[in-house]
Short mmCIF file of all heavy atoms in Angstrom, two decimals:
data_model
loop_
_atom_site.label_atom_id
_atom_site.label_comp_id
_atom_site.label_asym_id
_atom_site.label_seq_id
_atom_site.Cartn_x
_atom_site.Cartn_y
_atom_site.Cartn_z
N LYS W 3 15.94 -1.12 21.26
CA LYS W 3 15.89 -0.29 20.16
C LYS W 3 15.82 -1.17 18.84
O LYS W 3 15.08 -0.80 17.94
CB LYS W 3 17.14 0.63 20.14
CG LYS W 3 17.12 1.68 18.99
CD LYS W 3 18.21 2.65 19.19
CE LYS W 3 18.20 3.71 17.97
NZ LYS W 3 19.24 4.67 18.12
N ALA W 4 16.62 -2.20 18.83
CA ALA W 4 16.65 -3.05 17.61
C ALA W 4 15.28 -3.70 17.50
O ALA W 4 14.84 -3.88 16.32
CB ALA W 4 17.75 -4.07 17.75
N TYR W 5 14.65 -4.21 18.62
CA TYR W 5 13.42 -4.86 18.49
C TYR W 5 12.34 -3.89 18.07
O TYR W 5 11.48 -4.16 17.20
CB TYR W 5 13.08 -5.34 19.95
CG TYR W 5 11.68 -5.95 20.02
CD1 TYR W 5 11.48 -7.38 19.72
CD2 TYR W 5 10.58 -5.24 20.43
CE1 TYR W 5 10.30 -7.93 19.70
CE2 TYR W 5 9.31 -5.82 20.53
CZ TYR W 5 9.24 -7.18 20.19
OH TYR W 5 7.96 -7.63 20.22
N ASN W 6 12.27 -2.70 18.54
CA ASN W 6 11.35 -1.72 18.16
C ASN W 6 11.51 -1.27 16.66
O ASN W 6 10.50 -1.27 15.93
CB ASN W 6 11.46 -0.49 19.00
CG ASN W 6 10.85 -0.56 20.37
OD1 ASN W 6 10.09 -1.59 20.54
ND2 ASN W 6 11.23 0.23 21.27
N ARG W 7 12.79 -1.15 16.31
CA ARG W 7 13.06 -0.82 14.82
C ARG W 7 12.47 -1.97 13.88
O ARG W 7 11.82 -1.75 12.88
CB ARG W 7 14.45 -0.72 14.55
CG ARG W 7 14.79 -0.31 13.12
CD ARG W 7 16.23 -0.05 12.83
NE ARG W 7 16.62 1.22 13.51
CZ ARG W 7 17.63 1.32 14.45
NH1 ARG W 7 18.26 0.30 14.85
NH2 ARG W 7 17.93 2.54 14.98
N LYS W 8 12.73 -3.23 14.28
CA LYS W 8 12.26 -4.41 13.43
C LYS W 8 10.72 -4.45 13.47
O LYS W 8 10.16 -4.60 12.41
CB LYS W 8 12.81 -5.67 14.10
CG LYS W 8 12.54 -6.88 13.39
CD LYS W 8 13.18 -8.17 13.92
CE LYS W 8 12.78 -9.33 13.25
NZ LYS W 8 13.30 -10.57 13.87
N ALA W 9 10.14 -4.15 14.61
CA ALA W 9 8.66 -4.23 14.63
C ALA W 9 8.02 -3.15 13.83
O ALA W 9 7.01 -3.36 13.10
CB ALA W 9 8.10 -4.14 16.14
N PHE W 10 8.58 -1.92 13.97
CA PHE W 10 8.00 -0.77 13.14
C PHE W 10 8.27 -1.00 11.59
O PHE W 10 7.37 -0.75 10.79
CB PHE W 10 8.61 0.52 13.50
CG PHE W 10 7.92 1.27 14.71
CD1 PHE W 10 8.60 1.55 15.87
CD2 PHE W 10 6.59 1.59 14.66
CE1 PHE W 10 7.96 2.20 16.92
CE2 PHE W 10 5.93 2.27 15.60
CZ PHE W 10 6.61 2.54 16.76
N ASN W 11 9.43 -1.44 11.25
CA ASN W 11 9.68 -1.83 9.84
C ASN W 11 8.74 -2.84 9.35
O ASN W 11 8.23 -2.89 8.23
CB ASN W 11 11.10 -2.28 9.62
CG ASN W 11 12.10 -1.10 9.78
OD1 ASN W 11 11.73 0.04 9.77
ND2 ASN W 11 13.40 -1.45 10.04
N LYS W 12 8.49 -3.95 10.15
CA LYS W 12 7.48 -5.05 9.72
C LYS W 12 6.11 -4.40 9.49
O LYS W 12 5.47 -4.57 8.46
CB LYS W 12 7.45 -6.09 10.68
CG LYS W 12 6.53 -7.24 10.22
CD LYS W 12 6.64 -8.39 11.17
CE LYS W 12 5.68 -9.54 10.78
NZ LYS W 12 4.62 -9.43 9.87
N LEU W 13 5.65 -3.57 10.42
CA LEU W 13 4.36 -2.95 10.39
C LEU W 13 4.35 -2.00 9.09
O LEU W 13 3.30 -2.07 8.34
CB LEU W 13 4.15 -2.07 11.59
CG LEU W 13 2.92 -1.19 11.58
CD1 LEU W 13 1.66 -1.96 11.54
CD2 LEU W 13 2.91 -0.24 12.76
N GLY W 14 5.40 -1.28 8.86
CA GLY W 14 5.50 -0.45 7.65
C GLY W 14 5.39 -1.20 6.43
O GLY W 14 4.67 -0.87 5.43
N ASP W 15 6.11 -2.37 6.28
CA ASP W 15 6.11 -3.22 5.15
C ASP W 15 4.82 -3.77 4.88
O ASP W 15 4.26 -3.79 3.77
CB ASP W 15 7.31 -4.22 5.21
CG ASP W 15 8.62 -3.65 5.20
OD1 ASP W 15 8.79 -2.51 4.79
OD2 ASP W 15 9.56 -4.39 5.62
N ASP W 16 4.15 -4.31 5.89
CA ASP W 16 2.89 -4.88 5.74
C ASP W 16 1.88 -3.89 5.29
O ASP W 16 0.94 -4.18 4.49
CB ASP W 16 2.44 -5.57 7.05
CG ASP W 16 3.31 -6.78 7.46
OD1 ASP W 16 4.10 -7.30 6.57
OD2 ASP W 16 3.18 -7.22 8.69
N THR W 17 1.92 -2.74 5.92
CA THR W 17 0.97 -1.66 5.60
C THR W 17 1.16 -1.21 4.25
O THR W 17 0.13 -0.99 3.51
CB THR W 17 1.03 -0.60 6.58
OG1 THR W 17 0.86 -1.05 7.93
CG2 THR W 17 -0.01 0.54 6.43
N LYS W 18 2.41 -1.02 3.75
CA LYS W 18 2.63 -0.50 2.42
C LYS W 18 2.15 -1.54 1.43
O LYS W 18 1.63 -1.10 0.37
CB LYS W 18 4.05 -0.31 2.26
CG LYS W 18 4.69 0.92 2.87
CD LYS W 18 6.05 1.05 2.73
CE LYS W 18 6.67 2.19 3.57
NZ LYS W 18 8.16 2.24 3.59
N ALA W 19 2.35 -2.83 1.66
CA ALA W 19 1.90 -3.81 0.72
C ALA W 19 0.31 -3.78 0.62
O ALA W 19 -0.18 -3.85 -0.61
CB ALA W 19 2.38 -5.23 1.19
N GLU W 20 -0.38 -3.65 1.68
CA GLU W 20 -1.87 -3.64 1.61
C GLU W 20 -2.30 -2.35 0.98
O GLU W 20 -3.32 -2.31 0.18
CB GLU W 20 -2.50 -3.79 3.07
CG GLU W 20 -3.93 -3.88 3.09
CD GLU W 20 -4.59 -5.00 2.36
OE1 GLU W 20 -3.89 -5.95 2.22
OE2 GLU W 20 -5.70 -4.92 2.03
N VAL W 21 -1.65 -1.19 1.22
CA VAL W 21 -2.03 0.12 0.63
C VAL W 21 -1.90 -0.07 -0.89
O VAL W 21 -2.62 0.38 -1.71
CB VAL W 21 -1.16 1.23 1.25
CG1 VAL W 21 -1.32 2.59 0.32
CG2 VAL W 21 -1.66 1.52 2.64
N ALA W 22 -0.80 -0.66 -1.32
CA ALA W 22 -0.48 -0.73 -2.75
C ALA W 22 -1.53 -1.60 -3.42
O ALA W 22 -1.98 -1.34 -4.47
CB ALA W 22 0.91 -1.44 -2.96
N ALA W 23 -1.96 -2.70 -2.83
CA ALA W 23 -3.03 -3.52 -3.30
C ALA W 23 -4.34 -2.88 -3.50
O ALA W 23 -5.03 -3.00 -4.44
CB ALA W 23 -3.18 -4.81 -2.47
N ILE W 24 -4.71 -1.98 -2.43
CA ILE W 24 -5.91 -1.21 -2.44
C ILE W 24 -5.88 -0.21 -3.56
O ILE W 24 -6.79 -0.02 -4.21
CB ILE W 24 -6.20 -0.68 -0.99
CG1 ILE W 24 -6.52 -1.77 0.00
CG2 ILE W 24 -7.34 0.38 -1.09
CD1 ILE W 24 -6.74 -1.34 1.34
N LEU W 25 -4.77 0.47 -3.64
CA LEU W 25 -4.56 1.53 -4.70
C LEU W 25 -4.69 0.98 -6.05
O LEU W 25 -5.33 1.55 -7.01
CB LEU W 25 -3.43 2.32 -4.53
CG LEU W 25 -3.26 3.18 -3.32
CD1 LEU W 25 -1.81 3.81 -3.19
CD2 LEU W 25 -4.27 4.30 -3.45
N LYS W 26 -4.12 -0.24 -6.27
CA LYS W 26 -4.23 -0.90 -7.57
C LYS W 26 -5.73 -1.12 -7.87
O LYS W 26 -6.22 -0.94 -8.94
CB LYS W 26 -3.48 -2.23 -7.54
CG LYS W 26 -3.26 -2.83 -8.88
CD LYS W 26 -2.31 -4.08 -8.78
CE LYS W 26 -1.37 -4.00 -9.84
NZ LYS W 26 -0.49 -5.15 -9.83
N GLU W 27 -6.61 -1.66 -6.84
CA GLU W 27 -7.99 -1.84 -7.07
C GLU W 27 -8.70 -0.61 -7.31
O GLU W 27 -9.64 -0.58 -8.14
CB GLU W 27 -8.52 -2.69 -5.93
CG GLU W 27 -8.14 -4.16 -5.96
CD GLU W 27 -8.68 -4.95 -4.86
OE1 GLU W 27 -9.91 -4.71 -4.63
OE2 GLU W 27 -8.03 -5.82 -4.21
N MET W 28 -8.29 0.46 -6.60
CA MET W 28 -8.95 1.69 -6.76
C MET W 28 -8.72 2.26 -8.26
O MET W 28 -9.73 2.71 -8.88
CB MET W 28 -8.43 2.86 -5.85
CG MET W 28 -8.97 2.64 -4.37
SD MET W 28 -8.10 3.71 -3.18
CE MET W 28 -8.53 5.25 -3.86
N ASN W 29 -7.51 2.10 -8.69
CA ASN W 29 -7.25 2.54 -10.02
C ASN W 29 -7.98 1.63 -11.09
O ASN W 29 -8.35 2.10 -12.21
CB ASN W 29 -5.81 2.52 -10.34
CG ASN W 29 -4.98 3.61 -9.68
OD1 ASN W 29 -5.47 4.60 -9.39
ND2 ASN W 29 -3.75 3.36 -9.25
N ALA W 30 -8.22 0.37 -10.87
CA ALA W 30 -8.99 -0.50 -11.71
C ALA W 30 -10.40 -0.19 -11.78
O ALA W 30 -11.00 -0.43 -12.88
CB ALA W 30 -8.70 -1.93 -11.30
N LEU W 31 -10.94 0.50 -10.75
CA LEU W 31 -12.29 0.90 -10.73
C LEU W 31 -12.59 2.11 -11.61
O LEU W 31 -13.72 2.33 -12.00
CB LEU W 31 -12.81 1.20 -9.30
CG LEU W 31 -13.07 0.01 -8.40
CD1 LEU W 31 -13.52 0.65 -7.05
CD2 LEU W 31 -14.16 -0.82 -8.95
N LEU W 32 -11.50 2.88 -11.82
CA LEU W 32 -11.79 4.12 -12.80
C LEU W 32 -12.29 3.71 -14.09
O LEU W 32 -11.75 2.67 -14.63
CB LEU W 32 -10.48 4.93 -12.90
CG LEU W 32 -10.09 5.89 -11.71
CD1 LEU W 32 -8.76 6.33 -12.05
CD2 LEU W 32 -11.15 6.91 -11.74
N PRO W 33 -13.25 4.35 -14.71
CA PRO W 33 -13.64 4.14 -16.00
C PRO W 33 -12.54 4.34 -16.92
O PRO W 33 -11.66 5.18 -16.71
CB PRO W 33 -14.82 5.10 -16.21
CG PRO W 33 -15.29 5.47 -14.90
CD PRO W 33 -14.08 5.31 -13.99
N GLN W 34 -12.42 3.68 -18.09
CA GLN W 34 -11.34 3.69 -19.06
C GLN W 34 -11.16 5.06 -19.69
O GLN W 34 -10.11 5.55 -19.74
CB GLN W 34 -11.62 2.60 -20.19
CG GLN W 34 -10.34 2.60 -21.13
CD GLN W 34 -9.10 2.08 -20.47
OE1 GLN W 34 -9.26 1.19 -19.57
NE2 GLN W 34 -7.99 2.69 -20.75
N GLU W 35 -12.31 5.85 -19.92
CA GLU W 35 -12.09 7.17 -20.50
C GLU W 35 -11.43 7.99 -19.49
O GLU W 35 -10.77 9.00 -19.80
CB GLU W 35 -13.41 7.64 -20.94
CG GLU W 35 -14.54 7.77 -19.92
CD GLU W 35 -15.38 6.56 -19.85
OE1 GLU W 35 -15.10 5.56 -20.51
OE2 GLU W 35 -16.28 6.54 -18.92
N VAL W 36 -11.77 7.91 -18.16
CA VAL W 36 -11.06 8.77 -17.17
C VAL W 36 -9.57 8.44 -17.05
O VAL W 36 -8.74 9.26 -17.00
CB VAL W 36 -11.70 8.50 -15.78
CG1 VAL W 36 -10.95 9.29 -14.65
CG2 VAL W 36 -13.23 8.92 -15.89
N ARG W 37 -9.25 7.11 -17.12
CA ARG W 37 -7.79 6.76 -17.11
C ARG W 37 -7.07 7.34 -18.34
O ARG W 37 -5.95 7.80 -18.25
CB ARG W 37 -7.62 5.27 -17.03
CG ARG W 37 -7.94 4.73 -15.66
CD ARG W 37 -7.49 3.28 -15.67
NE ARG W 37 -8.80 2.53 -15.75
CZ ARG W 37 -8.93 1.27 -16.01
NH1 ARG W 37 -7.86 0.56 -16.34
NH2 ARG W 37 -10.06 0.73 -16.06
N ASP W 38 -7.79 7.30 -19.50
CA ASP W 38 -7.14 7.86 -20.74
C ASP W 38 -6.94 9.32 -20.67
O ASP W 38 -5.95 9.82 -21.01
CB ASP W 38 -8.03 7.45 -21.92
CG ASP W 38 -8.00 6.00 -22.17
OD1 ASP W 38 -7.11 5.34 -21.78
OD2 ASP W 38 -8.96 5.60 -22.90
N ALA W 39 -7.92 9.97 -20.01
CA ALA W 39 -7.81 11.44 -19.86
C ALA W 39 -6.64 11.87 -18.91
O ALA W 39 -6.00 12.71 -19.05
CB ALA W 39 -9.08 12.01 -19.37
#
């Protein structure tokens, strides 16, 4: 159970970090007038 918890937590942390990086790039792609609106 401890091994599975550690593995799932690592998977979650790695995935969250990559999702955050992708979302940051997605937001950067928005044109400035859209971001301002």
Side-chain angles (χ1 to χ4, degrees):
K3 185 175 180 178
Y5 177 83
N6 286 340
R7 180 178 290 121
K8 184 178 176 184
F10 273 121
N11 287 341
K12 182 177 178 348
L13 173 67
D15 293 342
D16 294 346
T17 304
K18 285 176 191 174
E20 184 65 21
V21 166
I24 290 172
L25 287 176
K26 192 175 223 180
E27 288 186 36
M28 285 172 60
N29 288 333
L31 281 179
L32 277 173
Q34 187 61 41
E35 59 271 2
V36 175
R37 281 189 260 163
D38 292 339

